[in-house]
Short mmCIF file of all heavy atoms in Angstrom, two decimals:
data_model
loop_
_atom_site.label_atom_id
_atom_site.label_comp_id
_atom_site.label_asym_id
_atom_site.label_seq_id
_atom_site.Cartn_x
_atom_site.Cartn_y
_atom_site.Cartn_z
N LEU A 187 10.46 15.70 -11.51
CA LEU A 187 11.29 16.44 -12.46
C LEU A 187 12.70 15.88 -12.55
O LEU A 187 13.46 16.25 -13.45
CB LEU A 187 11.33 17.92 -12.07
CG LEU A 187 9.95 18.59 -12.01
CD1 LEU A 187 10.05 19.97 -11.40
CD2 LEU A 187 9.33 18.65 -13.40
N GLU A 188 13.06 15.02 -11.62
CA GLU A 188 14.34 14.32 -11.65
C GLU A 188 14.15 12.81 -11.84
O GLU A 188 15.08 12.04 -11.63
CB GLU A 188 15.12 14.57 -10.36
CG GLU A 188 15.98 15.81 -10.36
CD GLU A 188 15.16 17.09 -10.14
OE1 GLU A 188 14.05 16.99 -9.56
OE2 GLU A 188 15.63 18.16 -10.52
N SER A 189 12.96 12.39 -12.24
CA SER A 189 12.71 10.96 -12.38
C SER A 189 12.04 10.60 -13.71
O SER A 189 12.68 10.03 -14.59
CB SER A 189 11.88 10.43 -11.19
OG SER A 189 10.69 11.18 -11.04
N PHE A 190 10.74 10.98 -13.88
CA PHE A 190 10.02 10.48 -15.06
C PHE A 190 9.29 11.56 -15.85
O PHE A 190 8.59 11.24 -16.81
CB PHE A 190 9.01 9.42 -14.61
CG PHE A 190 9.64 8.26 -13.89
CD1 PHE A 190 9.51 8.11 -12.52
CD2 PHE A 190 10.38 7.31 -14.59
CE1 PHE A 190 10.10 7.05 -11.85
CE2 PHE A 190 10.98 6.26 -13.93
CZ PHE A 190 10.85 6.12 -12.56
N ASP A 191 9.41 12.83 -15.46
CA ASP A 191 8.70 13.90 -16.18
C ASP A 191 9.73 14.91 -16.71
O ASP A 191 10.13 15.85 -16.01
CB ASP A 191 7.69 14.58 -15.25
CG ASP A 191 6.60 15.31 -16.03
OD1 ASP A 191 6.66 15.31 -17.27
OD2 ASP A 191 5.69 15.88 -15.38
N HIS A 192 10.16 14.69 -17.92
CA HIS A 192 11.24 15.47 -18.54
C HIS A 192 10.72 16.84 -18.96
O HIS A 192 9.77 16.95 -19.74
CB HIS A 192 11.76 14.70 -19.76
CG HIS A 192 12.87 15.39 -20.49
ND1 HIS A 192 13.90 16.05 -19.85
CD2 HIS A 192 13.13 15.51 -21.83
CE1 HIS A 192 14.75 16.53 -20.74
NE2 HIS A 192 14.30 16.23 -21.94
N LYS A 193 11.36 17.91 -18.44
CA LYS A 193 10.94 19.27 -18.74
C LYS A 193 12.15 20.13 -19.16
O LYS A 193 12.72 20.89 -18.38
CB LYS A 193 10.26 19.90 -17.52
CG LYS A 193 8.97 19.21 -17.12
CD LYS A 193 7.92 19.26 -18.23
CE LYS A 193 6.69 18.45 -17.88
NZ LYS A 193 5.75 18.36 -19.04
N PRO A 194 12.58 20.01 -20.42
CA PRO A 194 13.73 20.80 -20.89
C PRO A 194 13.50 22.31 -20.82
O PRO A 194 14.45 23.09 -20.69
CB PRO A 194 13.91 20.33 -22.34
CG PRO A 194 12.60 19.72 -22.72
CD PRO A 194 12.03 19.14 -21.47
N ARG A 195 12.24 22.72 -20.88
CA ARG A 195 11.92 24.15 -20.82
C ARG A 195 12.38 24.77 -19.50
O ARG A 195 12.76 25.95 -19.46
CB ARG A 195 10.41 24.34 -20.99
CG ARG A 195 9.95 25.78 -21.02
CD ARG A 195 10.41 26.49 -22.26
NE ARG A 195 9.82 27.83 -22.37
CZ ARG A 195 10.40 28.86 -22.94
NH1 ARG A 195 11.59 28.72 -23.50
NH2 ARG A 195 9.79 30.03 -23.00
N LEU A 196 12.38 23.99 -18.44
CA LEU A 196 12.82 24.50 -17.14
C LEU A 196 14.30 24.87 -17.16
O LEU A 196 14.72 25.83 -16.51
CB LEU A 196 12.56 23.47 -16.04
CG LEU A 196 11.11 23.31 -15.58
CD1 LEU A 196 11.01 22.21 -14.53
CD2 LEU A 196 10.57 24.62 -15.02
N ARG A 197 15.09 24.10 -17.88
CA ARG A 197 16.51 24.45 -18.00
C ARG A 197 16.68 25.76 -18.76
O ARG A 197 17.52 26.59 -18.43
CB ARG A 197 17.26 23.33 -18.71
CG ARG A 197 17.62 22.15 -17.81
CD ARG A 197 18.56 21.20 -18.53
NE ARG A 197 19.03 20.13 -17.65
CZ ARG A 197 19.86 19.18 -18.03
NH1 ARG A 197 20.34 19.18 -19.29
NH2 ARG A 197 20.26 18.25 -17.18
N GLU A 198 15.87 25.96 -19.79
CA GLU A 198 15.97 27.17 -20.59
C GLU A 198 15.59 28.41 -19.78
O GLU A 198 16.13 29.50 -20.01
CB GLU A 198 15.05 27.06 -21.81
CG GLU A 198 15.42 25.94 -22.78
CD GLU A 198 14.37 25.75 -23.87
OE1 GLU A 198 13.48 26.63 -23.98
OE2 GLU A 198 14.44 24.75 -24.60
N MET A 199 14.67 28.23 -18.82
CA MET A 199 14.18 29.36 -18.03
C MET A 199 14.82 29.39 -16.63
O MET A 199 14.28 30.01 -15.72
CB MET A 199 12.66 29.28 -17.91
CG MET A 199 11.93 29.40 -19.23
SD MET A 199 10.12 29.34 -19.05
CE MET A 199 9.79 30.86 -18.14
N MET A 200 15.93 28.73 -16.47
CA MET A 200 16.62 28.63 -15.18
C MET A 200 16.75 30.00 -14.50
O MET A 200 17.25 30.96 -15.10
CB MET A 200 18.02 28.04 -15.40
CG MET A 200 18.80 27.81 -14.14
SD MET A 200 18.39 26.22 -13.42
CE MET A 200 19.78 26.01 -12.29
N GLY A 201 16.26 30.12 -13.28
CA GLY A 201 16.38 31.33 -12.49
C GLY A 201 15.27 32.34 -12.69
O GLY A 201 15.11 33.26 -11.88
N GLN A 202 14.47 32.19 -13.75
CA GLN A 202 13.35 33.10 -13.99
C GLN A 202 12.23 32.79 -13.00
O GLN A 202 12.05 31.66 -12.56
CB GLN A 202 12.83 32.98 -15.41
CG GLN A 202 13.84 33.37 -16.48
CD GLN A 202 13.26 33.28 -17.88
OE1 GLN A 202 12.08 33.60 -18.10
NE2 GLN A 202 14.08 32.85 -18.84
N ASP A 203 11.45 33.80 -12.67
CA ASP A 203 10.38 33.64 -11.69
C ASP A 203 9.21 32.86 -12.31
O ASP A 203 8.87 33.05 -13.49
CB ASP A 203 9.89 35.01 -11.23
CG ASP A 203 9.16 34.94 -9.89
OD1 ASP A 203 9.46 34.02 -9.11
OD2 ASP A 203 8.28 35.78 -9.65
N LEU A 204 8.62 31.98 -11.51
CA LEU A 204 7.45 31.22 -11.95
C LEU A 204 6.33 32.18 -12.34
O LEU A 204 5.91 33.02 -11.53
CB LEU A 204 6.96 30.31 -10.82
CG LEU A 204 5.65 29.56 -11.05
CD1 LEU A 204 5.79 28.53 -12.17
CD2 LEU A 204 5.21 28.87 -9.76
N PRO A 205 5.85 32.11 -13.58
CA PRO A 205 4.79 33.04 -14.01
C PRO A 205 3.54 32.91 -13.14
O PRO A 205 3.11 31.80 -12.80
CB PRO A 205 4.50 32.60 -15.45
CG PRO A 205 5.76 31.92 -15.90
CD PRO A 205 6.29 31.25 -14.68
N ALA A 206 2.96 34.04 -12.78
CA ALA A 206 1.75 34.04 -11.95
C ALA A 206 0.60 33.32 -12.64
O ALA A 206 -0.25 32.71 -11.99
CB ALA A 206 1.35 35.48 -11.62
N SER A 207 0.60 33.36 -13.97
CA SER A 207 -0.47 32.69 -14.72
C SER A 207 -0.40 31.18 -14.58
O SER A 207 -1.41 30.48 -14.70
CB SER A 207 -0.38 33.07 -16.20
OG SER A 207 0.89 32.68 -16.74
N ILE A 208 0.80 30.66 -14.35
CA ILE A 208 0.97 29.21 -14.16
C ILE A 208 0.63 28.82 -12.73
O ILE A 208 -0.08 27.84 -12.49
CB ILE A 208 2.42 28.79 -14.48
CG1 ILE A 208 2.77 29.09 -15.93
CG2 ILE A 208 2.62 27.31 -14.17
CD1 ILE A 208 1.98 28.29 -16.93
N ARG A 209 1.11 29.60 -11.79
CA ARG A 209 0.89 29.28 -10.38
C ARG A 209 -0.57 29.45 -9.99
O ARG A 209 -1.14 28.66 -9.23
CB ARG A 209 1.78 30.16 -9.50
CG ARG A 209 1.52 29.95 -8.01
CD ARG A 209 2.31 30.94 -7.18
NE ARG A 209 1.75 31.05 -5.84
CZ ARG A 209 2.07 31.99 -4.96
NH1 ARG A 209 2.95 32.91 -5.29
NH2 ARG A 209 1.52 32.01 -3.78
N GLY A 210 -1.22 30.48 -10.48
CA GLY A 210 -2.60 30.76 -10.11
C GLY A 210 -2.71 31.05 -8.62
O GLY A 210 -1.84 31.68 -8.02
N ASN A 211 -3.79 30.55 -8.01
CA ASN A 211 -3.99 30.78 -6.58
C ASN A 211 -3.74 29.52 -5.75
O ASN A 211 -4.28 29.36 -4.66
CB ASN A 211 -5.41 31.30 -6.32
CG ASN A 211 -6.48 30.31 -6.79
OD1 ASN A 211 -6.16 29.26 -7.36
ND2 ASN A 211 -7.74 30.64 -6.57
N GLN A 212 -2.93 28.62 -6.31
CA GLN A 212 -2.67 27.37 -5.59
C GLN A 212 -1.85 27.64 -4.34
O GLN A 212 -0.94 28.46 -4.34
CB GLN A 212 -1.94 26.39 -6.51
CG GLN A 212 -2.81 25.96 -7.70
CD GLN A 212 -2.06 25.07 -8.66
OE1 GLN A 212 -1.16 24.36 -8.25
NE2 GLN A 212 -2.41 25.14 -9.93
N ARG A 213 -2.19 26.91 -3.29
CA ARG A 213 -1.55 27.14 -2.00
C ARG A 213 -0.12 26.61 -1.98
O ARG A 213 0.25 25.71 -2.74
CB ARG A 213 -2.36 26.48 -0.88
CG ARG A 213 -2.48 24.97 -1.02
CD ARG A 213 -3.24 24.40 0.16
NE ARG A 213 -3.44 22.96 0.00
CZ ARG A 213 -3.65 22.13 1.01
NH1 ARG A 213 -3.68 22.59 2.24
NH2 ARG A 213 -3.85 20.85 0.80
N LEU A 214 0.66 27.18 -1.07
CA LEU A 214 2.05 26.79 -0.88
C LEU A 214 2.22 26.33 0.57
O LEU A 214 1.40 26.62 1.44
CB LEU A 214 2.98 27.97 -1.15
CG LEU A 214 2.82 28.71 -2.48
CD1 LEU A 214 3.74 29.92 -2.54
CD2 LEU A 214 3.08 27.78 -3.65
#
Side-chain angles (χ1 to χ4, degrees):
L187 302 171
E188 273 78 23
S189 54
F190 302 106
D191 201 358
H192 181 40
K193 296 299 174 187
R195 183 68 173 150
L196 284 178
R197 280 189 174 180
E198 296 173 11
M199 297 181 66
M200 183 85 164
Q202 296 182 37
D203 201 28
L204 173 66
S207 60
I208 298 295
R209 176 186 161 192
N211 60 357
Q212 295 176 30
R213 61 177 176 157
L214 308 175

